[in-house]
Amino acid sequence: MTGVVELTRQLIAIDSTNPDLVAGGAGETAVADFTAGWLAARGFECHRLERRAGRPSIVGVARGAGGGRSIMLNGHLDTVTLAGFDGAPLVADERDGSLFGRGAYDMKSGLAAMMCAAAAVAQQSHAGDILVALVADEEYASAGTEEVLTRFRADGAIVAEPSGLDLVVAHRGFVWAEVTIHGRAAHGSRPDLGIDAIAKAGRFLTGLDELQRALAARPPQPLLGTGNIHASLISGGEELSSYPARCTIGLERRTVPGEDAATVERELRAVLDATTEHGYELVITFERQPFRAGDSTIVADLRAAATAHLGRPPTERGEPFWTDCALLEAAGIPAVLFGVDGGGAHAATEWVTLDSLHRTTAILTDTIRMFTSSR
């Protein structure tokens, strides 16, 4: 069997830049082809899901003998840009006990670990089905996992994103919104006729800053702290010689359990009503729910396997960012996040520690074996 380090090298060498993030990005086709071939050679039945042309996801299935739970290992094929990487981004460079390259940490090492772990158990007698979901588009809109969930279910799931060998049992969600502040267009010499929408938006932005302070003062959620909000994008006006009729602001609100698009909309309308004189528009453009794992068998089995290999119970914590765990949990599949150590996600230097890569593979292998052994 291909070793996990060599498989990580092979995956790093395949450009899978998300084209929704980088115009002209390679997308997932080549890496999907490679992983499907790798899984098929090890006896997995492979399903290619490509609702959006050029953005495939692969689900490899190793059928069990029956009588056991099914498990899904989930990881994303896409990466962020190669531009600005310090060195050759598609050449895995090994030094000082780590492997460097784009995706080394986020998350081609995780893909390799879950593929090798799944293949190791699949080649033995196992009761429950093993599903390996290699998904497109996680770095942008998670269309891959959404498509997988239209076709496949499991009794438990592990998302193999990097976690430093900790169990991540919660993470924040987010809501995106667009606010347009209205003014009145007029010639720049006619303040009696014009209303400056950009200047009026300043009052709203001040109110937004006050909302952020109020959020930070709330009682923190034990694993996630408090939610937060910020203005991400702003545009307005037509030319220097005219009063701007509109100013549009793009916002992001990070959420914790108990917060959603409806609560965010109420907050924003309260700020807008208090700060806007000449009308506004508010549109919630996108939402992803926060995640909190329950007291599930998949968490218990992963905790037991990690304890055995680490010599101590793993740290259990939350993450501030969003992952596909929330989609799995919302679909009724108990989920947990667990993966390698290293650093440099989306940065100019990115690496995975080889020790954590081997430990992750061993822990995932034992978890798959335990989880699928019985009902």
Side-chain angles (χ1 to χ4, degrees):
M1 180 187 296
T2 305
V4 69
V5 176
E6 178 57 28
L7 180 56
T8 303
R9 288 180 179 277
Q10 293 171 342
L11 292 170
I12 290 171
I14 303 171
D15 183 2
S16 57
T17 304
N18 189 315
D20 284 326
L21 297 176
V22 180
E28 297 88 358
T29 297
V31 72
D33 291 344
F34 173 84
T35 54
W38 192 96
L39 290 169
R42 288 153 180 81
F44 286 77
E45 60 182 68
C46 288
H47 305 262
R48 188 184 189 94
L49 286 69
E50 197 168 355
R51 185 163 52 192
R52 182 178 172 190
R55 308 300 305 277
S57 298
I58 300 297
V59 178
V61 182
R63 302 290 179 187
R69 303 180 195 90
S70 58
I71 190 169
M72 179 186 292
L73 290 304
N74 177 289
H76 63 86
L77 297 168
D78 58 319
T79 70
V80 297
T81 184
L82 305 181
F85 194 86
D86 184 12
L90 301 180
V91 177
D93 177 23
E94 184 176 340
R95 62 182 187 274
D96 301 324
S98 295
L99 198 65
F100 293 75
R102 175 56 79 219
Y105 181 65
D106 184 21
M107 60 165 295
K108 289 183 173 176
S109 55
L111 296 178
M114 65 190 228
M115 289 166 67
C116 286
V121 181
Q123 291 176 357
Q124 306 166 1
S125 176
H126 58 100
D129 293 347
I130 303 168
L131 291 79
V132 181
L134 309 168
V135 300
D137 192 47
E138 190 276 344
E139 295 288 6
Y140 183 70
S142 291
T145 291
E146 285 190 324
E147 185 174 5
V148 166
L149 291 173
T150 67
R151 295 266 306 273
F152 295 93
R153 287 288 186 272
D155 296 313
I158 300 172
V159 176
E161 290 268 17
S163 73
L165 299 173
D166 295 340
L167 269 64
V168 173
V169 294
H171 65 64
R172 295 183 190 178
F174 64 92
V175 176
W176 289 344
E178 188 174 89
V179 168
T180 300
I181 307 295
H182 294 300
R184 183 184 300 130
H187 194 279
S189 66
R190 297 298 304 272
D192 55 320
L193 299 178
I195 298 173
D196 185 344
I198 296 174
K200 298 301 181 186
R203 291 188 62 200
F204 168 69
L205 291 171
T206 298
L208 199 69
D209 193 44
E210 292 172 356
L211 173 59
Q212 166 56 27
R213 288 196 293 272
L215 293 174
R218 290 180 178 177
Q221 203 275 346
L223 291 172
L224 299 173
T226 60
N228 64 281
I229 193 165
H230 68 275
S232 306
L233 300 166
I234 186 167
S235 62
E238 290 75 34
E239 61 271 326
L240 286 172
S241 59
S242 297
Y243 276 80
R246 298 163 66 87
C247 181
T248 299
I249 302 160
L251 309 169
E252 181 180 69
R253 169 73 156 84
R254 292 284 168 162
T255 57
V256 297
E259 300 173 338
D260 59 17
T263 61
V264 172
E265 182 172 354
R266 287 195 296 271
E267 292 170 349
L268 289 174
R269 289 199 183 277
V271 175
L272 285 160
D273 290 342
T275 59
T276 306
E277 303 170 8
H278 301 284
Y280 65 81
E281 297 168 22
L282 168 61
V283 179
I284 302 296
T285 58
F286 196 69
E287 178 184 18
R288 289 300 191 196
Q289 295 284 346
F291 160 70
R292 181 69 171 94
D295 185 18
S296 62
T297 304
I298 190 66
V299 173
D301 284 354
L302 181 55
R303 183 188 297 120
T307 299
H309 283 275
L310 300 176
R312 57 167 176 80
T315 299
E316 299 188 27
R317 59 178 178 83
E319 286 282 15
F321 51 77
W322 189 87
T323 78
D324 282 353
C325 280
L327 293 178
L328 293 158
E329 195 78 25
I333 302 173
V336 62
L337 186 150
F338 177 81
V340 299
D341 196 8
H346 301 200
T349 302
E350 183 177 356
W351 71 97
V352 58
T353 67
L354 296 179
D355 176 70
S356 75
L357 178 55
H358 289 297
R359 286 174 183 259
T360 298
T361 306
I363 291 166
L364 291 178
T365 300
D366 286 354
T367 304
I368 296 167
R369 188 177 290 116
M370 280 192 289
F371 189 78
T372 58
S373 63
S374 68
R375 287 288 179 188

